[in-house]
């Protein structure tokens, strides 16, 4: 199956185009209500994050976090934060702890030291049951999509809604159709994940994440191993979701074009440490030699 897919006929959707423009009229009312619920929930989540020293608190934060595997130090005394409704990009070469950071936010791994807060709460001592509640607020889009191979695309997207048990089946089916249209894989609900290209699997994984109505989404290398058109579509989709649903997002990537497009702030990991944390413009002006080497090599490999 071809990797690239245009979202319907004509021009590609603009990053400012409302997501509902992609949705068929027959399901639009149900999908619009579903998306409005998600947006209102995320606005409420912003208000619910406790203030820190009389300043608005971060939705996700690392405070002097360290993590090792055996004798190999992956993260050492790393600190950064993500404000509600903000997109943070985690940059760095392979093996510097980018994906490990996401797994710790989800509670799949625990730090050796330091504090990780999600929705303003320290999750480091949480039980598995408590972490399941965190995962209802924060969901992750894995590199491989992490879809259930034995069920269809539509059943994958419906899974979070059926598990929650608060929607009628006809509503679920309408939301599934609408979400698949939003992410650019309309009409593929009957296919199995094995029938899809890498980029399409990522799109379906985003649709399944949205079905859970999360407050935050973590993306692990969303544009790796996809062609430039699909990378552009995925980048636009992530930006539209942030703007229109007020989602808090963390994007792990080595794709500087994607980072420049999405990031409110970036953290650059190298040698186990966060050697830079700030805006993309500040990063480009950084005098840190590791950061400048990364930027220079990126320009050589991916000319504008």
């Amino acid at each position: 199956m071809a990797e690239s897919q245009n979202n319907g006929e004509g021009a590609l959707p603009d990053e400012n185009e409302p997501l509902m423009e992609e949705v068929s009229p027959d399901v639009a009312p149900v999908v619009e209500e579903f998306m409005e619920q998600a947006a209102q929930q995320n606005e409420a989540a912003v208000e619910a994050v406790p203030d820190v020293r009389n300043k608005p608190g971060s939705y996700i934060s690392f405070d002097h976090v360290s993590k090792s595997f055996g004798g190999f130090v992956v993260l050492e005394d790393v600190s950064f934060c993500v404000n509600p409704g903000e997109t943070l990009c985690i940059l760095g070469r392979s093996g510097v702890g980018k994906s490990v950071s996401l797994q710790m936010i989800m509670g799949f791994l625990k730090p050796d030291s330091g504090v990780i807060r999600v929705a303003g709460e320290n999750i480091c001592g949480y039980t598995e049951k408590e972490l399941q509640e965190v995962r209802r607020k924060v969901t992750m889009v894995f590199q491989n999509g992490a879809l259930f191979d034995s069920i269809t695309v539509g059943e994958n997207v419906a899974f979070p809604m059926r598990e929650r048990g608060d929607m009628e089946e006809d509503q679920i089916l309408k939301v599934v159709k609408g979400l698949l249209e939003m992410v650019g894989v309309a009409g593929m609900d009957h296919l199995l994940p094995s029938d899809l290209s890498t980029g399409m699997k990522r799109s379906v994984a985003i649709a399944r994440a949205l079905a859970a109505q999360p407050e935050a989404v973590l993306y692990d290398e969303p544009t790796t191993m996809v062609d430039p058109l699909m990378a552009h579509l995925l980048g636009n989709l992530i930006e539209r979701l942030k703007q229109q649903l007020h989602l808090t997002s963390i994007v792990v990537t080595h794709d500087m074009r994607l980072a420049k497009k999405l990031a409110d702030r970036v953290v650059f990991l190298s040698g186990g440490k966060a050697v830079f944390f700030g805006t993309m413009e500040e990063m480009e002006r950084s005098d840190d030699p590791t950061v400048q080497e990364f930027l220079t090599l990126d320009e050589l490999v991916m000319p504008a």
Side-chain angles (χ1 to χ4, degrees), residues 261-298:
K261 180 184 186 67
L262 299 179
D264 294 298
R265 289 187 291 175
V266 298
V267 58
F268 184 83
L269 301 179
S270 179
K273 295 184 177 294
V275 299
F276 175 82
F277 174 55
T279 67
M280 182 62 72
E281 292 77 12
E282 290 168 342
M283 179 177 169
E284 291 173 338
R285 295 196 302 267
S286 170
D287 57 6
D288 185 283
T290 308
V291 172
Q292 284 303 319
E293 181 184 31
F294 181 85
L295 293 172
T296 300
L297 288 173
D298 179 76

Side-chain angles (χ1 to χ4, degrees), residues 122-163:
N122 181 357
I123 67 167
C124 294
Y126 272 20
T127 64
E128 182 59 29
K129 184 176 180 180
E130 289 171 322
L131 286 170
Q132 287 175 7
E133 290 300 315
V134 171
R135 293 170 195 147
R136 288 189 175 94
K137 298 178 181 179
V138 182
T139 190
M140 184 165 168
V141 176
F142 295 86
Q143 277 192 52
N144 62 3
L147 301 173
F148 301 120
D149 293 333
S150 59
I151 61 176
T152 66
V153 163
E155 289 168 331
N156 265 280
V157 177
F159 183 83
M161 293 180 283
R162 288 175 176 153
E163 188 178 50

Side-chain angles (χ1 to χ4, degrees), residues 98-100 102-103 140-145 202 217-224 250-253:
K98 302 189 300 293
S99 296
V100 167
L102 298 190
Q103 292 182 55
M140 184 165 168
V141 176
F142 295 86
Q143 277 192 52
N144 62 3
R202 300 230 179 101
V217 180
L218 314 180
Y219 302 89
D220 191 7
E221 296 281 10
T223 58
T224 294
I250 297 181
V251 181
V252 160
T253 185

Side-chain angles (χ1 to χ4, degrees), residues 31-90:
V31 178
E32 187 167 16
E33 181 181 359
F34 184 84
M35 299 297 279
E36 182 60 29
Q37 287 175 350
Q40 290 177 358
Q41 167 193 282
N42 293 339
E43 287 177 351
V46 172
E47 300 298 325
V49 174
D51 291 348
V52 178
R53 299 184 185 91
N54 297 319
K55 294 181 180 179
S58 302
Y59 189 87
I60 295 170
S61 65
F62 274 39
D63 189 4
H64 301 288
V65 170
S66 296
K67 180 66 180 177
S68 298
F69 295 99
F72 180 65
V73 177
V74 179
L75 297 175
E76 184 179 2
D77 198 34
V78 168
S79 297
F80 62 83
C81 62
V82 192
N83 293 329
E86 183 179 62
T87 297
L88 174 81
C89 286
I90 305 180

Side-chain angles (χ1 to χ4, degrees), residues 113-251:
S113 61
V115 174
I116 297 174
R117 290 185 173 86
V118 177
E121 299 180 14
N122 181 357
I123 67 167
C124 294
Y126 272 20
T127 64
E128 182 59 29
K129 184 176 180 180
E130 289 171 322
L131 286 170
Q132 287 175 7
E133 290 300 315
V134 171
R135 293 170 195 147
R136 288 189 175 94
K137 298 178 181 179
V138 182
T139 190
M140 184 165 168
V141 176
F142 295 86
Q143 277 192 52
N144 62 3
L147 301 173
F148 301 120
D149 293 333
S150 59
I151 61 176
T152 66
V153 163
E155 289 168 331
N156 265 280
V157 177
F159 183 83
M161 293 180 283
R162 288 175 176 153
E163 188 178 50
R164 203 164 57 232
D166 59 356
M167 294 176 65
E168 298 293 334
E169 184 64 18
D170 65 327
Q171 291 179 305
I172 291 174
L173 295 178
K174 288 177 180 178
V175 171
V176 167
K177 179 180 179 181
L179 291 178
L180 291 176
E181 289 171 341
M182 279 184 193
V183 302
V185 287
M188 298 188 183
D189 52 299
H190 64 289
L191 299 177
L192 290 171
S194 58
D195 297 323
L196 304 180
S197 65
T198 299
M200 290 174 183
K201 286 179 183 176
R202 300 230 179 101
S203 294
V204 173
I206 292 173
R208 186 176 67 180
L210 295 177
Q213 293 183 314
E215 296 172 6
V217 180
L218 314 180
Y219 302 89
D220 191 7
E221 296 281 10
T223 58
T224 294
M225 297 177 64
V226 301
D227 65 58
L229 175 58
M230 182 57 80
H232 178 77
L233 287 169
L234 289 168
N236 267 9
L237 176 60
I238 293 169
E239 179 66 14
R240 293 164 83 195
L241 292 171
K242 170 199 166 183
Q243 297 292 346
Q244 297 175 40
L245 293 183
H246 314 293
L247 281 170
T248 302
S249 308
I250 297 181
V251 181

